[in-house]
Amino acid sequence: MDKDTRAARAFYEAVANFANNAKPWSTNAIFHEIKPDEVWDLTLISQRVYGRRCEYLAVMAAAGISQVEELLTQKQIILPDEGTLMQLKRQCNFESESELRTSDGTPTWSEE
């Protein structure tokens, strides 16, 4: 996990804000319909949208749920595209990919 858990909270809020304010014509948004096999598996949505399972916190924020164990409803959620996701991570000093964190949990790119 990140060294500063406030970063995760800030990231969650940033993604939720993005999802709530995205317009149908937004070019930096991914509109994803939650499928029946995804209602109990946030990581599956993450895999299908971003190609990796670690972005489940973004999925949670976009879906408006606060716990991993919560059941998702089949609906459309709005996620940031890859570039916007990276921007939000940097703004919040948050990293979900373990290989991009140092041994103390801080993002490796925060040292740049």
Side-chain angles (χ1 to χ4, degrees), residues 5-89:
T5 56
R6 292 175 295 181
R9 180 65 184 173
F11 175 71
Y12 178 95
E13 290 172 357
V15 173
N17 187 48
F18 174 87
N20 290 330
N21 292 307
K23 305 292 184 224
W25 56 85
S26 297
T27 58
N28 62 341
I30 298 168
F31 296 83
H32 179 80
E33 287 289 333
I34 297 174
K35 297 164 187 58
D37 64 338
E38 297 171 336
V39 296
W40 286 110
D41 191 353
L42 303 169
T43 67
L44 184 55
I45 298 171
S46 174
Q47 178 67 39
R48 288 177 175 161
V49 172
Y50 297 113
R52 56 189 179 278
R53 291 190 176 259
C54 61
E55 305 299 350
Y56 60 87
L57 188 59
V59 175
M60 288 176 60
I65 62 171
S66 59
Q67 296 182 3
V68 175
E69 299 85 18
E70 279 185 63
L71 176 68
L72 292 169
T73 56
Q74 286 183 252
K75 64 179 184 177
Q76 184 180 76
I77 60 173
I78 304 168
L79 291 156
D81 67 7
E82 188 72 40
T84 305
L85 183 72
M86 293 306 128
Q87 279 182 324
L88 295 174
K89 284 181 174 185

